[in-house]
Amino acid sequence: MSVSNPASDSTSPDPALRKVRLATMWLDGCSGCHMSMLDMDERLIELASKVEFVCSPYVDMKELPSDIDVALVEGAVSSEEDLHKIRQLRRSTKFLISLGDCAVTGNVPAMRNGFPIDAVMARAYRETASEPLPVVEGEPSYPSRYVPALRRRVSPVHEVVPVDLYVPGCPPPADAIHFVLTELLAGRTPDVSRLTRFGC
Amino acid sequence: MAREITINPVTRIEGHAKITIQLDDAGKVADALFHVTQFRGFEKFVEGRPLREMPSVMARICGICPVSHLMASSKACDDLLAVEIPQVAADLRRVMNLGQLVQSHALSFFHLSSPDLMFGMDGDPHIRNVFGLIERHPEFAKDGVLLRKFGQDIIERLGGKRIHPAWCVPGGVSDPLS
């Protein structure tokens, strides 16, 4: 597929000069994949002249735009908010990349799938707490107001939305991420199998 | 009329959070809350797993400061094994930790906070980020990128990779510096 010549172009009169609209999102991950992206170092500076980060944890946009060319998502789908966000991202982007082992397989966040949610929350908020949370009649004994509900099962991204490209690794090396982005900018779909693998 | 202002998400932070501000009927701030909107459950899901896995699992708490978690976990494991690690290992761990301090602080300042200082707290949100810095303050942005790179290079030189190096282990470190 090609991202360098999109059919609709609303931000520049000349398609050749239009920056590719890139989004990044983190779900239930550790941000290591985003850090690996920054590990492109000076290559990121160079890339910044060709892409526009329209939505990302690094920028202050609160609303997801609807005309994204390429989106990279890190992290597994662990909460109701993660689910809502990834569905919205899928609707808003032409090309979706599962970045890193948590997005590709569930990985570390999915380790909680072997335990009931109550047991996980009790361990964190009651058994190991230096001060127990105040008990409010009728409310669960761990934070539940304002914070998103946890799904019973943590899932990789492709279990909830279709994914266009998988880039495994924990995290995928910066070289692999750079290759993916430069290949997509050149209009080619990259094959990352020689550059990264699960656990990397 | 009492109402609530929500800031969601909080951007340019190292994690997931939202803020709610409760206004009273007079429109004055009655309360302000900070909500961490992500939860993994490390405290529970490591139960039953081998001790030697712990440092590398704990590294995955955070991709910005995995070294901190590697160190803390390795030290806990050292205590559980009742061992005093060799001095060289302690020194090498310290070097990696210092590398992390450099890269993590560079990120926190240059990439995340400095846009507020360089463009102003009320600066245009479209440019108030590291990419705006790259465009409008390129030398400053490059300094930040290279400072972070320096810290990451130290970590990679010692541990073989920049993020989640498995090098820090119970009992010391897995490879000497050469």
Side-chain angles (χ1 to χ4, degrees), chain A residues 19 26-42 44-46 48 52-53 56-62 78-79 81-82 85 107-113 115-116 119-121 123-125 127-128 145-148 150 170-171 174 199-200, chain B residues 4 7-16 18 20 22 33 35-47 49 53 57 59-64 103 107 111-112 116 125-126 128-131 134-135 138 141-142 145-146 148-149 152-153 161-164:
Chain A
K19 284 185 170 186
W26 58 39
L27 303 174
D28 198 17
C30 76
S31 82
C33 294
H34 274 74
M35 291 303 110
S36 199
M37 216 183 302
L38 291 186
D39 280 345
M40 290 192 279
D41 302 323
E42 303 97 318
L44 183 70
I45 294 177
E46 196 191 301
E52 187 189 345
F53 283 76
S56 167
Y58 297 135
V59 309
D60 288 346
M61 302 322 288
K62 307 290 182 187
S78 169
S79 70
E81 186 171 295
D82 292 336
K85 282 167 60 177
N107 199 31
V108 171
M111 287 168 74
R112 76 161 170 81
N113 286 350
F115 301 86
V120 174
M121 299 305 250
R123 187 75 191 148
Y125 287 102
E127 295 164 33
T128 56
R145 285 191 308 142
Y146 295 109
V147 292
L150 292 181
C170 187
C200 208
Chain B
E4 198 170 84
I7 301 170
N8 189 21
V10 179
T11 56
R12 290 189 281 121
I13 55 168
E14 298 169 5
H16 296 63
K18 78 184 193 197
T20 57
Q22 285 79 29
L33 301 174
H35 313 279
V36 176
T37 50
Q38 182 189 20
F39 178 86
R40 257 88 48 85
F42 281 84
E43 300 89 343
K44 190 69 185 175
F45 66 57
V46 294
E47 284 181 11
R49 304 199 70 90
E53 276 185 11
V57 173
R60 274 83 184 170
I61 289 172
C62 181
I64 297 156
Q103 67 88 354
L107 173 85
H111 297 65
L112 302 180
D116 286 333
H126 290 90
R128 194 179 56 204
N129 54 61
V130 63
F131 306 106
I134 287 170
E135 206 177 318
K142 195 168 177 202
V145 166
L146 292 179
R148 182 177 172 277
K149 176 182 175 169
Q152 293 284 69
D153 279 349
K161 59 192 257 202
R162 289 181 169 196
I163 300 168
H164 306 320

Side-chain angles (χ1 to χ4, degrees), chain A residues 5 12 15 31 95-96 102 112 125 127 130 159 172 176 198:
Chain A
N5 287 303
S12 165
S31 82
F95 198 82
L96 181 65
C102 296
R112 76 161 170 81
Y125 287 102
E127 295 164 33
S130 50
E159 274 190 23
F198 173 75

